[in-house]
Amino acid sequence: MSDDSKWRDDVVRMIPALRAFGWSLSHNGSDADDLVQDTLIKAWTNRDKFEPGTNLRAWLFTILRNTYYTQVIRRRREVRDELGEYAGALKTPPTQDWSVAMHDMQAALKHLPVEHREALILVGAAGLSYDEAAEVCGCAVGTIKSRVNRARAKLLKVMDADDASDVMVYETTVAAKRA
């Protein structure tokens, strides 16, 4: 009898004891059978690592126990959702509306004169004060205020909105019509 066939026969004789140990850990016959199967696959795959003359039973039980605890840890991170109810409840708000709004805003900014666009971006987007924006542009504070005011009015007109809060509502409506 070859070493492989003797080793295989010794492992097969351990199956009832492995199944009993698997059941004692999982308290479920089906799970115990799965544990034994996983144990046998791992043992067969790693049979070259078993040292002849050592305790085969202890080696197999260790593999089974480690497999069980690995599965327990993995299951803690999983959500049982056979019917897909949990997955169906997971939703994220759409982000494409903001992308469309941003694209349309960039297109509308191109309709502004350069000095109005610059003033609006410095004050509105970069967060500079009117004084700081005037210093950057090399003009009076009143001129910056006037440019920002005109730029906002022109943007609202280009985007067909009554006030700034309408722009996103408008963009959402446009995006919905495009879809």
Side-chain angles (χ1 to χ4, degrees):
M1 184 180 271
S2 73
D3 286 341
D4 267 352
S5 61
K6 180 182 179 332
W7 187 87
R8 185 190 63 223
D9 292 343
D10 290 344
V11 169
V12 168
R13 278 193 292 278
M14 295 289 173
I15 290 176
L18 288 170
R19 189 170 189 294
F21 183 53
W23 193 92
S24 73
L25 292 173
S26 66
H27 301 287
N28 180 303
S30 178
D31 289 345
D33 289 341
D34 290 344
L35 275 171
V36 171
Q37 182 177 357
D38 289 345
T39 300
L40 294 174
I41 290 169
K42 289 177 182 180
W44 183 260
T45 304
N46 296 296
R47 66 187 177 279
D48 58 321
K49 295 180 184 174
F50 176 72
E51 296 179 23
T54 60
N55 190 342
L56 178 63
R57 180 184 178 106
W59 188 68
L60 292 170
F61 275 48
T62 300
I63 293 172
L64 189 138
R65 186 196 68 213
N66 290 345
T67 301
Y68 171 75
Y69 286 119
T70 299
Q71 290 175 357
V72 166
I73 290 168
R74 187 177 299 137
R75 284 182 184 151
R76 281 186 201 154
R77 295 185 300 244
E78 295 175 355
V79 175
R80 294 194 75 142
D81 190 29
E82 290 85 8
L83 301 177
E85 294 170 349
Y86 180 76
L90 296 176
K91 296 179 183 165
T92 57
T95 58
Q96 66 272 19
D97 292 344
W98 286 102
S99 177
V100 169
M102 187 57 131
H103 177 71
D104 290 346
M105 176 68 79
Q106 288 172 336
L109 281 170
K110 291 178 183 175
H111 288 74
L112 298 177
V114 175
E115 62 274 358
H116 290 178
R117 183 172 50 236
E118 180 182 44
L120 184 63
I121 290 173
L122 288 172
V123 173
L128 271 61
S129 69
Y130 288 113
D131 292 332
E132 293 168 329
E135 187 178 325
V136 169
C137 293
C139 62
V141 174
T143 304
I144 288 294
K145 289 181 180 182
S146 175
R147 288 178 183 174
V148 169
N149 187 40
R150 288 182 182 157
R152 287 179 178 155
K154 174 88 173 172
L155 272 180
L156 290 173
K157 184 177 179 185
V158 168
M159 297 181 84
D160 195 32
D162 293 326
D163 64 34
S165 63
D166 292 341
V167 173
M168 188 58 203
V169 174
Y170 167 76
E171 296 306 330
T172 304
T173 306
V174 170
K177 289 178 183 175
R178 288 179 188 162

